[in-house]
Amino acid sequence: MIPDTVRAYVAGLFDGEGCLYFPTKFWGYLLDASITNTNLNCLLFVQSLYGGSIQAKNNHNVKCYGLHIRKKETLKHFIEDIYSYSIVKKEILQKGANILGISPLIKQHSINTIKAYVAGLIDGEGTITVHHHGRKIGQKSQYLPFICIGNTNKQCLEFVQKYYYGHITTRKKRQDRKIAYDWNIEGYKRTNRLLNDILPFLQIKKRQAQLLIEYQIFNRTTSELTEEKRQFINSIRSLNFHPTLL
């Protein structure tokens, strides 16, 4: 049996970049649960739980991958497992459940499933890094722990903000794209709490989280940007999709 925390983690991935396509002439006559991500390993983890097929594709000239779950019995298990833990896509999951003739059990989020859900969002749509925080003339620059999640659905970011504070900003709208939002936190206390909460549940960005926790301990020994600190920062940034190295 799949643990509730893993179900909540997958719900976070699905809320971040998932979709349920309903039977039409355009999409075909099969119900299709799909998750799109630039990280193949992220989808391979879900595939190991629920099967499905993975296809490579380009999304706005960015190489990404799509996991598609179409088998009826597998879809039933998938919807039943993540329904209770989804924050923003419960309505379409209910519609899919109705088509499949199932009634998912309703469970309440626990402290651990909340942590696992946020871990799923961060693995799928988040960045764990060190941010250069500029200072006024005459003051020293700082390199602070920084965690952000980007998404077109503001509600899932508000859910994260409810438990971990931080700020939500609106990105400048690009042509032919949905309005996107960013949630972020910066600094030591709040990032350290979040990292320690989600570390046991991360599947993809666990190494970034471990390094950022180590960086917080290391950085308190010196405020100067030493060569050793530069290498530490670059080690964290190099694990991200679009690293900016010092």
Side-chain angles (χ1 to χ4, degrees), residues 159-212:
F159 178 81
V160 179
Q161 187 184 46
K162 176 181 176 181
Y163 293 98
Y164 294 102
Y165 307 104
H167 305 281
I168 296 175
T169 56
T170 304
R171 295 184 199 172
K172 184 177 180 180
K173 190 178 185 304
R174 296 184 183 181
Q175 189 175 7
D176 300 325
R177 293 202 190 185
K178 294 180 180 179
I179 296 174
Y181 307 91
D182 291 298
W183 168 88
N184 70 77
I185 54 171
E186 183 180 62
Y188 295 97
K189 187 174 181 180
R190 289 181 177 176
T191 57
N192 190 60
R193 174 181 167 240
L194 172 58
L195 290 170
N196 281 286
D197 277 0
I198 67 174
L199 186 61
F201 308 108
L202 289 170
Q203 299 292 330
I204 309 303
K205 297 187 170 81
K206 189 180 288 287
R207 184 55 182 156
Q208 286 100 309
Q210 290 170 332
L211 283 173
L212 196 57

Side-chain angles (χ1 to χ4, degrees), residues 17 21 34-43 53-68 124-125 177 241-242:
E17 276 300 321
Y21 296 103
S34 173
I35 302 175
T36 301
N37 204 277
T38 55
N39 192 310
L40 177 60
N41 289 328
C42 193
L43 301 184
S53 61
I54 296 176
Q55 301 170 350
K57 56 184 179 179
N58 285 317
N59 187 4
H60 299 290
N61 296 320
V62 176
K63 186 176 181 180
C64 59
Y65 304 90
L67 170 67
H68 298 272
E125 297 297 307
R177 293 202 190 185
F241 187 61
H242 292 299

Side-chain angles (χ1 to χ4, degrees), residues 6-74:
V6 176
R7 297 175 184 180
Y9 172 89
V10 175
L13 287 176
F14 187 77
D15 274 2
E17 276 300 321
C19 190
L20 198 59
Y21 296 103
F22 296 97
T24 64
K25 288 184 179 181
F26 181 77
W27 291 114
Y29 291 98
L30 292 174
L31 192 63
D32 179 4
S34 173
I35 302 175
T36 301
N37 204 277
T38 55
N39 192 310
L40 177 60
N41 289 328
C42 193
L43 301 184
L44 287 171
F45 174 74
V46 181
Q47 187 185 48
S48 72
L49 300 171
Y50 299 103
S53 61
I54 296 176
Q55 301 170 350
K57 56 184 179 179
N58 285 317
N59 187 4
H60 299 290
N61 296 320
V62 176
K63 186 176 181 180
C64 59
Y65 304 90
L67 170 67
H68 298 272
I69 303 171
R70 298 187 177 103
K71 289 185 178 180
K72 186 175 180 179
E73 291 305 313
T74 307

Side-chain angles (χ1 to χ4, degrees), residues 221-243:
T221 63
T222 176
S223 60
E224 301 294 332
L225 182 60
T226 62
E227 182 58 31
E228 188 176 4
K229 183 187 284 189
R230 185 191 304 273
Q231 291 177 3
F232 211 118
I233 293 171
N234 284 341
S235 294
I236 299 171
R237 289 182 173 181
S238 65
L239 293 170
N240 292 316
F241 187 61
H242 292 299

